[in-house]
Amino acid sequence: EIVLTQSPGTLSLSPGESATLSCRASQSVASNYLAWYQQTPGQAPRLLMYSASSRAPGIPDRFSGSGSRTDFTLAISRLEPGDFAVYYCQQYGTSPFSFGQGTRLEIK
Amino acid sequence: EVRLVESGGGLVQPGRSLRLSCAAFGFTFDDYAMHWVRQVPGKGLEWVSGINWNSGDTVYAASVKGRFTISRDNAKSSLYLEMNSLRVEDTALYYCAKGMAFDSRGSCDTWGRGTLVIVSS
C-alpha cells in the first residue's frame, strides 16, 4: 500500500499570502495519478486538482499542482478567506487508493 | 445538477451487518466508476472501496476487504455498500463519490453529504 505523508500538518498564513503544501508518497505514484481535495468544516471534500497538475472544473487558477513520482505540491496564491480549510492528497494509481493525513491551512 | 444522496446509516451492534445506498442524479451513471470514502468525525479521509462502470472491477481497502462488498445497479443509478462483521472502528461518516472516469482508477469529482454509521454495543 502506498503511504502518503503531507506536510506541514498545520500552516498558518494571512489572507493575500501564498501557501505551499507538500505530499510525499512511499513509492512512485502510477501515471502521476495524484489528486488534491479541499474540505471545509461540515462539508464534503471538493476536488481541486487531478493527475497532479490538472485543475478541476471551476477551480480558480490561484490553485496549481505540480510534481511527479513521489513528490507533489499544491500551491495556492493570494489566499482568500474561503481557502482556509483542510487539504488532502490522494493517489489513485495503485489500489488501495490512499489519502494523506491532511494539512490544515489556518488564518494567522 | 449532479447530485449523490446516501442513505442506510445508523446505529448497529458489533458483528452485525448494514447496507448503505447511494442514489445518483444528473449524470449518466453507467459512464463512471463510483467510490465509497469514510471519515471519522474530526479525522482524515479513508478510501474504502471502488467499482468500475460495469461492475467488472472492484477494489477495497485492506481494512474492509473480505467484510465489505461494493455493488451497483446501473438501471437504478444506485451504488451500494454491504458491510458485514462490523467493528467499532468502522464507525464513520460514509461518503459516496463519483469517479472522473469509467475505470476505478480516477479521482472523485462529486461527493454526497454522507451517511453516519455508528458501531456500538
Side-chain angles (χ1 to χ4, degrees):
Chain A
E1 176 177 340
I2 296 178
V3 176
L4 300 180
T5 302
Q6 293 186 238
S7 61
T10 302
L11 187 56
S12 300
L13 294 169
S14 300
E17 293 189 301
S18 295
T20 302
L21 287 65
S22 173
C23 177
R24 179 161 291 178
S26 60
Q27 54 188 282
S28 185
V29 175
S31 304
N32 290 333
Y33 281 170
L34 193 287
W36 289 94
Y37 300 87
Q38 176 194 67
Q39 189 177 34
T40 52
Q43 300 299 312
R46 177 173 72 144
L47 178 66
L48 299 175
M49 313 291 301
Y50 62 96
S51 294
S53 60
S54 297
R55 262 186 304 276
I59 302 302
D61 59 9
R62 298 185 299 104
F63 292 85
S64 63
S66 63
S68 64
R69 298 176 59 84
T70 60
D71 287 287
F72 299 89
T73 299
L74 175 70
I76 313 170
S77 62
R78 305 184 305 280
L79 284 168
E80 298 182 357
D83 298 336
F84 293 92
V86 180
Y87 292 82
Y88 296 95
C89 58
Q90 182 205 20
Q91 70 80 22
Y92 52 94
T94 304
S95 176
F97 305 140
S98 43
F99 284 92
Q101 84 279 16
T103 288
R104 179 178 302 278
L105 178 57
E106 64 176 26
I107 299 179
K108 188 174 182 180
Chain B
E1 178 196 4
V2 177
R3 195 162 56 99
L4 300 169
V5 180
E6 303 94 337
S7 60
L11 175 63
V12 61
Q13 293 180 326
R16 303 298 290 265
S17 299
L18 203 61
R19 188 194 199 206
L20 305 184
S21 299
C22 171
F25 304 93
F27 65 99
T28 304
F29 185 71
D30 54 8
D31 276 352
Y32 298 95
M34 296 294 294
H35 298 264
W36 288 99
V37 176
R38 68 185 181 184
Q39 184 173 36
V40 174
K43 302 297 183 183
L45 301 171
E46 180 186 12
W47 176 84
V48 173
S49 182
I51 185 169
N52 76 333
W53 69 282
N54 68 353
S55 305
D57 180 45
T58 57
V59 286
Y60 298 92
S63 57
V64 306
K65 198 168 188 178
R67 299 188 300 122
F68 290 11
T69 301
I70 190 171
S71 62
R72 63 190 295 162
D73 186 335
N74 286 346
K76 295 182 178 179
S77 294
S78 292
L79 176 72
Y80 306 100
L81 186 68
E82 185 74 36
M83 303 186 296
N84 298 320
S85 303
L86 281 162
R87 303 168 181 168
V88 171
E89 55 265 34
D90 294 319
T91 294
L93 183 65
Y94 283 74
Y95 290 106
C96 165
K98 170 185 166 292
M100 286 191 74
F102 61 89
D103 189 287
S104 60
R105 295 200 315 164
S107 55
C108 297
D109 63 359
T110 303
W111 298 63
R113 289 174 165 247
T115 187
L116 183 62
V117 173
I118 300 173
V119 184
S120 174
S121 55

